[in-house]
Amino acid sequence: PPIPVGARFAVAIDGPAGAGKSVLGAALSAAIGATYIDSGIAYRAVTWDALESGLDLDDDATLAPRASTLPLTIEPPHHADGRQFTVTVAGRDVTWALRSPEVDNAVSRPSALPGVRAAVTDLLRRLASTGRVVMVGRDIGTVVLPHATLKVWVTATSTTRAERRVAELHARGVDADPGAIHAGIVARDTLDSSRATAPSRAAPDAIVIETDAMTIDEEVAAATLALAARLVHANRGENS
């Protein structure tokens, strides 16, 4: 069923690294006419900035203020190289730099800091207030947008996620060790799920989409159907 043109909603998409959250988020946004926001980009930008500046990745007192004032922009793609958007920091295109193995291996540390999370969360909530938003990331349905119209948990096996990551790197001409990539994904899953503050997990009211054997069209159809149902339910509640 189509999503009404005037409907206001927020879709929160969560899941482990490499499960296909960003692909689904971008495709769903295009299909239903919503703004696509990848929350992980903000955390990756903070991490990249810290690495570039030689800062302690665990120093919340230093990183939180920098996160609050980071000159970050997210725009439509400037290049047809497979990117979903163009990200700049102080005017510098860092779109692919934010997807480097170095950032992959480090991003969980700043993301766990309460000051950094508070700064980024405030920004994400403001962005989500525009009326028609699909926000992708971690802790979106449980922490950032707990009252989202629809919450989706996207998942896939660690093997599938590692294969996708290796293929992405190879497509960009970057050599990658499949075993190391898989080990890194498993380690990151363990760290993210065991965080003392806001461990990464599905919201109790989230629908689960397992992407191992699904096409992107099937994923979009499932999410659109669920969103339409939630909107109908919400509208009935308002009119009752």
Side-chain angles (χ1 to χ4, degrees):
I3 303 300
V5 173
R8 296 173 61 86
F9 56 79
V11 178
I13 301 180
D14 293 284
K21 302 184 297 294
S22 296
V23 174
L24 173 58
L28 178 62
S29 299
I32 63 179
T35 299
Y36 172 50
I37 300 172
D38 182 349
S39 72
I41 290 301
Y43 290 106
R44 285 177 174 271
V46 170
T47 303
W48 175 85
D49 177 62
L51 290 170
E52 285 286 295
S53 304
L55 300 176
D56 182 351
L57 296 174
D58 302 304
D59 184 359
D60 202 11
T62 297
L63 297 186
R66 289 181 71 95
S68 297
T69 59
L70 192 68
L72 175 71
T73 66
I74 303 176
E75 301 173 340
H78 294 177
H79 307 285
D81 59 358
R83 66 180 64 194
Q84 296 169 325
F85 38 65
T86 290
V87 184
T88 65
V89 173
R92 177 179 174 183
D93 186 343
V94 297
T95 307
W96 290 124
L98 301 188
R99 296 292 183 184
S100 70
E102 291 78 14
V103 173
D104 279 351
N105 293 332
V107 68
S108 287
R109 292 167 62 187
S111 298
L113 301 175
V116 170
R117 296 192 69 81
V120 174
T121 295
D122 285 344
L123 170 62
L124 294 174
R125 286 174 176 163
R126 290 195 298 272
L127 292 172
S129 66
T130 57
R132 294 173 69 92
V133 166
V134 175
M135 185 175 290
V136 174
R138 289 172 178 268
D139 311 326
I140 306 302
T142 54
V143 177
V144 180
L145 302 178
H147 303 297
T149 311
L150 174 68
K151 302 172 187 177
V152 181
W153 181 262
V154 180
T155 189
T157 65
S158 59
T159 299
T160 295
R161 290 183 282 137
E163 290 172 350
R164 291 171 179 169
R165 183 67 177 130
V166 169
E168 176 189 331
L169 291 170
H170 284 172
R172 302 204 323 260
V174 179
D175 192 23
D177 178 351
I181 294 293
H182 183 265
I185 286 175
V186 172
R188 182 175 172 185
D189 285 350
T190 300
L191 178 61
D192 287 341
S193 64
S194 61
R195 290 199 311 251
T197 303
S200 183
R201 60 168 64 102
D205 54 346
I207 67 167
V208 177
I209 296 180
E210 298 181 354
T211 68
D212 294 271
M214 293 181 72
T215 67
I216 186 59
D217 288 342
E218 290 171 336
E219 295 172 34
V220 169
T224 302
L225 182 63
L227 176 59
R230 297 292 173 89
L231 289 171
V232 168
H233 179 75
N235 187 54
R236 286 174 179 170
E238 291 176 357
N239 295 330
S240 61

